[in-house]
Amino acid sequence: MANNAEEIKKFLRARRDAVRPSQVGLANYPGRRVPGLRREEVAQLAGVSVDYYTRLEQGRLTSASEGVILSIAEALKLTQAETQYLRDLLRPQPRRSVEPALPQQVRPALLRMLTGLHDQPAFVLGRRNEVLASNDLLDALFTPFNHRPPGERNLLRWMLLDPAARSLYLDWAQVTSEVVGVLRAEAGRNPNDPRIAEFVAELRSVSPEFRTWWAERTVVERTWGSKRFNHPVVGRLDITYEALSLPGDPDQILFVYAGKTDDDLEKLRILASWYAQSTPRPASAGKDTSQPDGVGEQDSRHA
């Protein structure tokens, strides 16, 4: 990720360009040369001087009070996730070590919980979207992460680069761009993490879609929602999901999927039966697949 000053500049400019005057009660008169807001308009809406906002957007200021951050967020119609991203950029908090002494590990009790969910795909994501653990039904729905080499258990890389992922998601572009936004939020929390920078550089070099979405600077936090799949075994499948932060493991997110209807639930059961009969259980199945805190590098190392 770029240094804070450069990222502040690019993020504020991108968000300002995205807001239409009509969204904030301003007239969009004929001949207006900018599609979004002008700097002076943002300054007026936020209650700060034009000079102050200009210096902020130009990266000449790298900190701001909470009140100013919230005022600018309101003026730019930022989401909660985008507001937190701006807060991370302008009021950096003490950072976690970028070189943890130990690899991320999924607690044994949580692993038992995962394997005990027979009708619900479930998995645990680590700091940069690496799949730390998954149950059989998740592997049946997505891809057998437990069979993959350690450096290829990254959810975002799989979504971007595996043709099977593009076929699986009925809304592939929307879902994948949201995961890119999740990586953007993580980059804001950890601007000095070299592994995120390496991972971003890698994806920019191999994925044109990633380059486009990363440049848009959309920020997304994982919460809950629904997804639509076209699975090669069971066909159309709709699920709901919950993304649960683990209080004792702040860098880990537990995802639990559920069939949206009784028909979807029955399809998940069929998928589980098919997977059990057709796929040899890997040696690592039911075990923690956590790896050293890399960003899913090929060979030894990342979402």
Side-chain angles (χ1 to χ4, degrees):
M1 181 172 159
N3 61 59
N4 265 23
E6 185 67 14
E7 183 58 23
I8 291 166
K9 175 181 177 179
K10 291 181 177 180
F11 178 69
L12 288 175
R13 178 60 188 268
R15 294 302 95 205
R16 177 164 64 84
D17 287 346
V19 179
R20 297 298 175 260
S22 59
Q23 293 179 265
V24 293
L26 297 176
N28 190 9
Y29 52 81
R32 187 181 177 95
R33 292 184 296 174
V34 294
L37 299 179
R38 297 188 178 91
R39 285 175 179 164
E40 55 266 28
E41 291 170 336
V42 176
Q44 180 182 5
L45 290 166
V48 298
S49 70
V50 176
D51 177 68
Y52 178 89
Y53 180 77
T54 299
R55 286 185 290 133
L56 192 65
E57 190 180 288
Q58 290 177 343
R60 291 186 284 149
L61 295 176
T62 56
S63 64
S65 69
E66 179 69 7
V68 167
I69 290 170
L70 293 177
S71 295
I72 291 174
E74 182 176 359
L76 294 176
K77 300 298 182 183
L78 301 186
T79 65
Q80 182 176 343
E82 291 167 340
T83 300
Q84 183 57 51
Y85 184 70
L86 182 61
R87 186 180 289 115
D88 288 333
L89 292 176
L90 292 174
R91 300 183 63 191
Q93 301 299 312
R95 307 294 178 185
R96 297 183 294 271
S97 171
V98 299
E99 293 291 341
L102 297 173
Q104 283 188 281
Q105 298 290 328
V106 177
R107 290 179 284 107
L110 183 55
L111 286 172
R112 287 193 294 272
M113 183 185 297
L114 286 179
T115 57
L117 294 173
H118 301 296
D119 296 334
Q120 294 175 281
F123 58 109
V124 178
L125 286 187
R127 296 182 183 94
R128 287 166 291 275
N129 281 1
E130 60 269 32
V131 177
L132 300 180
S134 59
N135 65 4
D136 283 349
L137 191 48
L138 183 282
D139 287 357
L141 178 61
F142 283 0
T143 187
F145 281 109
N146 284 327
H147 286 280
R148 287 173 170 262
E152 297 179 13
R153 294 173 182 156
N154 183 275
L155 182 66
L156 180 55
R157 178 186 281 112
W158 170 72
M159 294 174 73
L160 283 166
L161 303 182
D162 193 326
R166 292 177 182 248
S167 299
L168 176 65
Y169 287 96
L170 287 175
D171 307 294
W172 176 84
Q174 176 185 336
V175 174
T176 307
S177 66
E178 288 173 355
V179 180
V180 173
V182 170
L183 180 62
R184 170 69 68 180
E186 183 66 27
R189 284 188 289 269
N190 298 280
N192 300 314
D193 187 338
R195 290 171 175 168
I196 292 182
E198 292 168 7
F199 184 49
V200 169
E202 175 200 342
L203 292 183
R204 288 182 66 182
S205 71
V206 296
S207 171
E209 294 93 346
F210 180 84
R211 288 196 294 272
T212 296
W213 294 327
W214 189 253
E216 290 173 354
R217 287 178 162 74
T218 300
V219 184
V220 178
E221 291 288 359
R222 300 183 177 100
T223 52
W224 51 269
S226 61
K227 296 187 190 301
R228 306 187 307 155
F229 300 104
N230 181 26
H231 197 277
V233 174
V234 297
R236 173 66 182 267
L237 176 65
D238 290 10
I239 65 96
T240 60
Y241 71 89
E242 297 286 341
L244 308 172
S245 298
L246 303 176
D249 302 288
D251 289 336
Q252 298 181 19
I253 304 291
L254 169 64
F255 282 82
V256 181
Y257 287 7
K260 196 169 187 177
T261 66
D262 289 343
D263 183 57
D264 294 314
L265 176 58
E266 181 59 26
K267 288 182 178 180
L268 286 174
R269 289 169 177 159
I270 294 171
L271 187 59
S273 177
W274 165 82
Y275 189 74
Q277 295 174 18
S278 64
T279 307
R281 187 170 178 81
S284 61
K287 298 180 180 180
D288 182 1
T289 59
S290 304
Q291 297 299 320
D293 191 27
V295 189
E297 314 80 351
Q298 301 286 344
D299 300 335
S300 63
R301 45 153 244 120
H302 184 335

